[in-house]
Amino acid sequence: MNALRIKKGSTSHSAYNLRDNHAEIIETHTLTVIVDNESGVLARVIGLFSGRGYNIDSLTVAEVDHIGHRSRVTIVTTGTPQVIEQIKAQLARMVPVHDVHDLTVEGPSVERELALFKVVCQGEKRVEAMRTAEIFRAHVVDTTLESFIFEMTGTADKIDAFAALMVPLGLIETARTGVAAISRGKDVLGT
């Protein structure tokens, strides 16, 4: 037991290193993978994750090169630095994979997600839902006398914050696309 009752690693302002140096650090990384647009490729990529017990927080796929028949898979995953490196190496070895990039470590990038929120409310809650949507720059894409459907684009944190504020106002359903990400600057990732 710690005689001073200080939680291990509870502050970064301590003069002493109270953190366990052997503890595994869990990081979140955004990976972009350029693959052939053919049947079964997505199943193979997902199989790599599920077969080894890796988690996928977000997954988006779309064809980005119609002539070359290539798709871009954007994956947000978590793990220790060793696990992230293992994921990247295993993805790069797959036959239909042309390019693997870790946007988290390769430099600045832009990440966005689209979300739809169905909010059922009346009276003052309806007015408050509209005010909150305006602050978050969410757009009303459908409305009835008792409900709204809001559309919002932003970072995952912004979407989470908006959803948390809408719960007490009558949020009953959410649909999210997953993260789409691209590196900043003039460099082009493999297409």
Side-chain angles (χ1 to χ4, degrees), residues 153-168:
T153 305
T155 62
D157 290 341
K158 180 180 176 184
I159 289 171
D160 290 341
F162 183 73
L165 290 173
M166 284 294 156
V167 167

Side-chain angles (χ1 to χ4, degrees), residues 14-174:
S14 174
Y16 303 99
N17 181 9
L18 300 175
R19 288 171 175 69
D20 182 3
N21 291 331
H22 301 291
E24 298 286 332
I25 299 170
I26 303 297
E27 301 174 342
T28 300
H29 285 251
T30 303
L31 309 175
T32 59
V33 185
I34 304 300
V35 299
D36 288 332
N37 187 14
E38 57 187 39
S39 63
V41 172
L42 184 58
R44 290 177 62 194
V45 169
I46 292 171
L48 181 146
F49 281 81
S50 65
R52 289 163 180 81
Y54 303 147
N55 189 39
I56 296 175
D57 295 333
S58 172
L59 175 70
T60 48
V61 184
E63 187 175 56
V64 293
D65 179 6
H66 300 295
I67 296 168
H69 301 290
R70 293 190 181 170
S71 293
R72 181 185 187 112
V73 181
T74 304
I75 303 166
V76 178
T77 188
T78 55
T80 64
Q82 295 82 10
V83 166
I84 299 295
E85 288 303 316
Q86 186 177 21
I87 290 170
K88 292 189 297 189
Q90 290 172 346
L91 282 170
R93 284 195 296 264
M94 293 177 75
V95 171
V97 172
H98 294 276
D99 231 345
V100 177
H101 292 275
D102 187 346
L103 296 180
T104 305
V105 297
E106 289 183 10
S109 64
V110 176
E111 295 184 8
R112 293 292 182 267
E113 186 174 356
L114 172 73
L116 298 172
F117 302 92
K118 186 184 292 185
V119 180
V120 175
C121 56
Q122 294 179 343
E124 188 57 37
K125 286 187 175 186
R126 191 170 174 86
V127 173
E128 187 60 29
M130 287 298 293
R131 285 186 194 136
T132 305
E134 187 177 331
I135 291 168
F136 278 84
R137 294 189 176 115
H139 303 283
V140 176
V141 293
D142 185 63
T143 186
T144 68
L145 294 175
E146 289 121 16
S147 70
F148 289 112
I149 295 179
F150 294 106
E151 172 190 72
M152 189 171 81
T153 305
T155 62
D157 290 341
K158 180 180 176 184
I159 289 171
D160 290 341
F162 183 73
L165 290 173
M166 284 294 156
V167 167
L169 299 177
L171 177 68
I172 62 166
E173 190 174 354
T174 304

